[in-house]
Amino acid sequence: MWAVDGCGYRDLVSCVCCLGWPILVYPASMCGRFTLFTPIPQLTEKVGAVLPEHEIRPRYNVAPGTWIASIRQASEDSAPTLDEMWWGFLPSWAKGKGKQATNARVETVTTNNYFKAAFAKHRCLVVADGWYEWIKNTSPKQPHYLCRRDREPLYFAAIYVEREDGSLGCAILTEPARGSAVDVHDRMPLILNDDSLASWLAPDLTDKETIRNLVGHIDADLTEHWPVSTAVNKPSEGQGSELINPL
């Protein structure tokens, strides 16, 4: 189970829900960029995922509105698969109208009509090595790179939906920042621990309380961060590992 601001996830959902906030989509102000450079076979070992037929290249400045590597399990009888989804959650029933959500808050994802069906039936993992956040009130905006101290890859909790064109689009779940991440931003991606990965992907688990009790985030003291080049501020082709070098 993960907790938010010292209270249980279930309790916080109830508190937010009773306020009646009709929040449908969230801006890309948290977890808006990340990196992925760990070899794909290494990423799939922990969940026994089937490798994609095409190559997924290393990326050091992954931005919303692009195809990103994700793991999902389509049915109880099938193995998880790693493939690419569009980073942007816009259900087919929206008929192309509205904003593409890149993030969804854990506080409301199970009760919000825009997200709750996907949380129950279409959960996935977005794989990453680290992510970027920006220090507020700096000019130009100063990015920091956040990752695990042991440099192990990260598994972001995410949800997905079928888009109008038949492809799949996803949103990464976020929670209030913990550990060293609070130095940089007030929110962070929901990063699952290894024991939670199979349960998060399991398509037969649909009850939010069962999921809450089976899923947990990584320990807060496992992450660290450092300032990096402002070149991160403008994603472009050809950007490499120099982006995550400490200043």
Side-chain angles (χ1 to χ4, degrees), residues 3 10-11 17 20 30 32 35 39 55 71 80 86 102 104 112-113 116 128 139 163 170 172-173 180 182 241:
R10 173 181 55 189
D11 299 329
C17 195
M30 51 263 186
T35 64
E55 180 183 4
I71 300 173
W86 185 256
T102 56
N112 192 298
N113 288 335
K116 66 181 183 181
S139 183
R163 291 154 38 89
C170 65
I172 296 171
L173 271 61
S180 65
V182 300
S241 60

mmCIF file of all heavy atoms in Angstrom, residues 3 10-11 17 20 30 32 35 39 55 71 80 86 102 104 112-113 116 128 139 163 170 172-173 180 182 241:
data_model
loop_
_atom_site.group_PDB
_atom_site.id
_atom_site.type_symbol
_atom_site.label_atom_id
_atom_site.label_comp_id
_atom_site.label_asym_id
_atom_site.label_seq_id
_atom_site.Cartn_x
_atom_site.Cartn_y
_atom_site.Cartn_z
ATOM 1 N N ALA A 3 1.075 5.442 0.700
ATOM 2 C CA ALA A 3 0.400 6.443 1.519
ATOM 3 C C ALA A 3 0.677 7.821 0.956
ATOM 4 O O ALA A 3 1.665 8.049 0.288
ATOM 5 C CB ALA A 3 0.884 6.368 2.966
ATOM 6 N N ARG A 10 -6.578 5.163 0.406
ATOM 7 C CA ARG A 10 -8.029 5.051 0.446
ATOM 8 C C ARG A 10 -8.643 6.261 1.131
ATOM 9 O O ARG A 10 -9.636 6.828 0.673
ATOM 10 C CB ARG A 10 -8.417 3.776 1.194
ATOM 11 C CG ARG A 10 -9.931 3.660 1.442
ATOM 12 C CD ARG A 10 -10.244 2.392 2.205
ATOM 13 N NE ARG A 10 -9.478 2.340 3.438
ATOM 14 C CZ ARG A 10 -9.411 1.271 4.215
ATOM 15 N NH1 ARG A 10 -10.034 0.168 3.881
ATOM 16 N NH2 ARG A 10 -8.712 1.297 5.336
ATOM 17 N N ASP A 11 -8.043 6.689 2.250
ATOM 18 C CA ASP A 11 -8.607 7.808 2.990
ATOM 19 C C ASP A 11 -8.534 9.097 2.189
ATOM 20 O O ASP A 11 -9.451 9.901 2.198
ATOM 21 C CB ASP A 11 -7.856 7.991 4.314
ATOM 22 C CG ASP A 11 -7.970 6.765 5.197
ATOM 23 O OD1 ASP A 11 -9.010 6.090 5.113
ATOM 24 O OD2 ASP A 11 -7.026 6.479 5.947
ATOM 25 N N CYS A 17 -12.775 13.019 -2.960
ATOM 26 C CA CYS A 17 -14.036 12.718 -3.621
ATOM 27 C C CYS A 17 -15.182 13.520 -3.007
ATOM 28 O O CYS A 17 -16.044 14.013 -3.716
ATOM 29 C CB CYS A 17 -14.321 11.231 -3.517
ATOM 30 S SG CYS A 17 -15.596 10.662 -4.638
ATOM 31 N N GLY A 20 -15.952 16.964 -4.316
ATOM 32 C CA GLY A 20 -16.658 17.104 -5.576
ATOM 33 C C GLY A 20 -15.892 17.827 -6.649
ATOM 34 O O GLY A 20 -16.472 18.499 -7.502
ATOM 35 N N MET A 30 4.021 17.698 -13.955
ATOM 36 C CA MET A 30 4.770 16.768 -13.114
ATOM 37 C C MET A 30 5.070 15.545 -13.949
ATOM 38 O O MET A 30 4.229 15.102 -14.730
ATOM 39 C CB MET A 30 3.982 16.392 -11.859
ATOM 40 C CG MET A 30 2.577 15.913 -12.091
ATOM 41 S SD MET A 30 1.379 17.223 -11.883
ATOM 42 C CE MET A 30 -0.164 16.355 -12.048
ATOM 43 N N GLY A 32 7.033 15.276 -16.598
ATOM 44 C CA GLY A 32 6.828 15.662 -17.979
ATOM 45 C C GLY A 32 7.911 15.203 -18.923
ATOM 46 O O GLY A 32 7.757 15.323 -20.136
ATOM 47 N N THR A 35 13.950 9.534 -19.011
ATOM 48 C CA THR A 35 14.965 8.864 -19.810
ATOM 49 C C THR A 35 14.699 7.363 -19.833
ATOM 50 O O THR A 35 14.085 6.812 -18.922
ATOM 51 C CB THR A 35 16.381 9.091 -19.243
ATOM 52 O OG1 THR A 35 16.463 8.479 -17.941
ATOM 53 C CG2 THR A 35 16.708 10.571 -19.135
ATOM 54 N N PRO A 39 19.032 -1.570 -21.444
ATOM 55 C CA PRO A 39 18.653 -2.516 -22.502
ATOM 56 C C PRO A 39 17.283 -3.145 -22.230
ATOM 57 O O PRO A 39 16.988 -3.546 -21.107
ATOM 58 C CB PRO A 39 19.767 -3.559 -22.452
ATOM 59 C CG PRO A 39 20.951 -2.819 -21.917
ATOM 60 C CD PRO A 39 20.387 -1.843 -20.926
ATOM 61 N N GLU A 55 13.120 -2.654 -32.687
ATOM 62 C CA GLU A 55 14.080 -2.111 -31.726
ATOM 63 C C GLU A 55 13.519 -0.868 -31.050
ATOM 64 O O GLU A 55 12.874 -0.028 -31.690
ATOM 65 C CB GLU A 55 15.385 -1.758 -32.442
ATOM 66 C CG GLU A 55 16.459 -1.184 -31.528
ATOM 67 C CD GLU A 55 17.713 -0.785 -32.271
ATOM 68 O OE1 GLU A 55 17.722 -0.888 -33.518
ATOM 69 O OE2 GLU A 55 18.684 -0.373 -31.622
ATOM 70 N N ILE A 71 4.686 -1.689 -20.644
ATOM 71 C CA ILE A 71 4.393 -3.110 -20.473
ATOM 72 C C ILE A 71 2.945 -3.255 -20.039
ATOM 73 O O ILE A 71 2.488 -2.572 -19.121
ATOM 74 C CB ILE A 71 5.316 -3.739 -19.408
ATOM 75 C CG1 ILE A 71 6.782 -3.603 -19.823
ATOM 76 C CG2 ILE A 71 4.964 -5.210 -19.187
ATOM 77 C CD1 ILE A 71 7.763 -4.040 -18.743
ATOM 78 N N PRO A 80 2.750 -10.809 -20.135
ATOM 79 C CA PRO A 80 2.899 -9.373 -20.381
ATOM 80 C C PRO A 80 3.726 -9.134 -21.641
ATOM 81 O O PRO A 80 4.579 -9.948 -22.006
ATOM 82 C CB PRO A 80 3.631 -8.873 -19.131
ATOM 83 C CG PRO A 80 3.368 -9.906 -18.088
ATOM 84 C CD PRO A 80 3.283 -11.207 -18.819
ATOM 85 N N TRP A 86 1.307 5.638 -27.092
ATOM 86 C CA TRP A 86 1.355 7.087 -27.212
ATOM 87 C C TRP A 86 1.245 7.704 -25.822
ATOM 88 O O TRP A 86 0.380 7.324 -25.042
ATOM 89 C CB TRP A 86 0.210 7.578 -28.084
ATOM 90 C CG TRP A 86 0.223 9.039 -28.385
ATOM 91 C CD1 TRP A 86 -0.574 10.007 -27.838
ATOM 92 C CD2 TRP A 86 1.078 9.710 -29.319
ATOM 93 N NE1 TRP A 86 -0.278 11.222 -28.365
ATOM 94 C CE2 TRP A 86 0.739 11.080 -29.282
ATOM 95 C CE3 TRP A 86 2.095 9.285 -30.173
ATOM 96 C CZ2 TRP A 86 1.379 12.025 -30.079
ATOM 97 C CZ3 TRP A 86 2.736 10.225 -30.966
ATOM 98 C CH2 TRP A 86 2.378 11.581 -30.915
ATOM 99 N N THR A 102 -1.366 13.577 -19.706
ATOM 100 C CA THR A 102 -0.092 12.860 -19.623
ATOM 101 C C THR A 102 0.126 12.288 -18.239
ATOM 102 O O THR A 102 0.904 11.349 -18.071
ATOM 103 C CB THR A 102 1.081 13.785 -19.993
ATOM 104 O OG1 THR A 102 1.053 14.949 -19.154
ATOM 105 C CG2 THR A 102 0.973 14.226 -21.441
ATOM 106 N N ALA A 104 -2.019 11.373 -14.273
ATOM 107 C CA ALA A 104 -3.261 11.238 -13.511
ATOM 108 C C ALA A 104 -2.886 11.117 -12.042
ATOM 109 O O ALA A 104 -1.940 10.411 -11.694
ATOM 110 C CB ALA A 104 -4.048 10.008 -13.959
ATOM 111 N N ASN A 112 -12.502 9.366 -10.660
ATOM 112 C CA ASN A 112 -12.739 10.282 -11.763
ATOM 113 C C ASN A 112 -13.270 9.513 -12.976
ATOM 114 O O ASN A 112 -12.666 8.528 -13.403
ATOM 115 C CB ASN A 112 -11.424 10.993 -12.110
ATOM 116 C CG ASN A 112 -11.634 12.166 -13.038
ATOM 117 O OD1 ASN A 112 -12.098 11.993 -14.147
ATOM 118 N ND2 ASN A 112 -11.271 13.354 -12.585
ATOM 119 N N ASN A 113 -14.382 9.958 -13.530
ATOM 120 C CA ASN A 113 -15.001 9.251 -14.654
ATOM 121 C C ASN A 113 -14.087 9.149 -15.870
ATOM 122 O O ASN A 113 -14.249 8.247 -16.692
ATOM 123 C CB ASN A 113 -16.303 9.945 -15.060
ATOM 124 C CG ASN A 113 -17.410 9.733 -14.053
ATOM 125 O OD1 ASN A 113 -17.403 8.750 -13.316
ATOM 126 N ND2 ASN A 113 -18.340 10.669 -13.990
ATOM 127 N N LYS A 116 -11.307 6.191 -14.235
ATOM 128 C CA LYS A 116 -11.531 5.067 -13.332
ATOM 129 C C LYS A 116 -11.688 3.724 -14.051
ATOM 130 O O LYS A 116 -11.285 2.689 -13.521
ATOM 131 C CB LYS A 116 -12.728 5.336 -12.418
ATOM 132 C CG LYS A 116 -14.084 5.429 -13.097
ATOM 133 C CD LYS A 116 -15.162 5.734 -12.051
ATOM 134 C CE LYS A 116 -16.550 5.774 -12.656
ATOM 135 N NZ LYS A 116 -17.582 6.090 -11.618
ATOM 136 N N ALA A 128 11.477 3.322 -17.252
ATOM 137 C CA ALA A 128 12.347 4.501 -17.330
ATOM 138 C C ALA A 128 13.595 4.267 -16.498
ATOM 139 O O ALA A 128 13.657 3.347 -15.665
ATOM 140 C CB ALA A 128 11.604 5.746 -16.836
ATOM 141 N N SER A 139 15.214 31.273 -13.704
ATOM 142 C CA SER A 139 15.208 31.727 -15.085
ATOM 143 C C SER A 139 16.616 31.696 -15.648
ATOM 144 O O SER A 139 17.494 32.395 -15.128
ATOM 145 C CB SER A 139 14.632 33.142 -15.177
ATOM 146 O OG SER A 139 14.553 33.565 -16.514
ATOM 147 N N ARG A 163 -7.341 4.836 -28.199
ATOM 148 C CA ARG A 163 -7.563 6.152 -28.777
ATOM 149 C C ARG A 163 -8.488 6.061 -29.992
ATOM 150 O O ARG A 163 -8.846 4.982 -30.441
ATOM 151 C CB ARG A 163 -6.215 6.769 -29.175
ATOM 152 C CG ARG A 163 -5.348 7.125 -27.990
ATOM 153 C CD ARG A 163 -3.854 7.125 -28.289
ATOM 154 N NE ARG A 163 -3.483 7.632 -29.587
ATOM 155 C CZ ARG A 163 -3.228 8.908 -29.860
ATOM 156 N NH1 ARG A 163 -3.301 9.811 -28.883
ATOM 157 N NH2 ARG A 163 -2.872 9.278 -31.067
ATOM 158 N N CYS A 170 -1.492 6.430 -23.059
ATOM 159 C CA CYS A 170 -1.368 6.227 -21.609
ATOM 160 C C CYS A 170 -1.117 7.522 -20.855
ATOM 161 O O CYS A 170 -0.749 8.547 -21.437
ATOM 162 C CB CYS A 170 -0.246 5.231 -21.312
ATOM 163 S SG CYS A 170 1.406 5.804 -21.771
ATOM 164 N N ILE A 172 0.734 8.619 -16.960
ATOM 165 C CA ILE A 172 1.534 8.163 -15.825
ATOM 166 C C ILE A 172 0.910 8.685 -14.534
ATOM 167 O O ILE A 172 0.560 9.864 -14.438
ATOM 168 C CB ILE A 172 2.983 8.657 -15.953
ATOM 169 C CG1 ILE A 172 3.647 8.033 -17.187
ATOM 170 C CG2 ILE A 172 3.788 8.339 -14.694
ATOM 171 C CD1 ILE A 172 5.011 8.618 -17.528
ATOM 172 N N LEU A 173 0.756 7.804 -13.541
ATOM 173 C CA LEU A 173 0.211 8.223 -12.253
ATOM 174 C C LEU A 173 1.254 8.990 -11.457
ATOM 175 O O LEU A 173 2.440 8.653 -11.482
ATOM 176 C CB LEU A 173 -0.265 7.008 -11.451
ATOM 177 C CG LEU A 173 -1.714 6.563 -11.685
ATOM 178 C CD1 LEU A 173 -1.942 6.165 -13.132
ATOM 179 C CD2 LEU A 173 -2.092 5.435 -10.749
ATOM 180 N N SER A 180 14.033 12.757 -1.364
ATOM 181 C CA SER A 180 14.772 13.892 -1.909
ATOM 182 C C SER A 180 14.008 14.595 -3.024
ATOM 183 O O SER A 180 14.323 15.742 -3.372
ATOM 184 C CB SER A 180 16.131 13.414 -2.444
ATOM 185 O OG SER A 180 15.968 12.546 -3.545
ATOM 186 N N VAL A 182 11.244 15.972 -2.945
ATOM 187 C CA VAL A 182 10.543 17.170 -2.465
ATOM 188 C C VAL A 182 11.398 18.414 -2.633
ATOM 189 O O VAL A 182 10.874 19.532 -2.613
ATOM 190 C CB VAL A 182 10.112 17.016 -0.984
ATOM 191 C CG1 VAL A 182 9.173 15.845 -0.807
ATOM 192 C CG2 VAL A 182 11.326 16.873 -0.070
ATOM 193 N N SER A 241 23.479 11.064 -23.670
ATOM 194 C CA SER A 241 23.720 10.896 -22.242
ATOM 195 C C SER A 241 24.293 12.149 -21.581
ATOM 196 O O SER A 241 24.277 12.252 -20.353
ATOM 197 C CB SER A 241 24.649 9.712 -22.010
ATOM 198 O OG SER A 241 25.893 9.911 -22.662
#
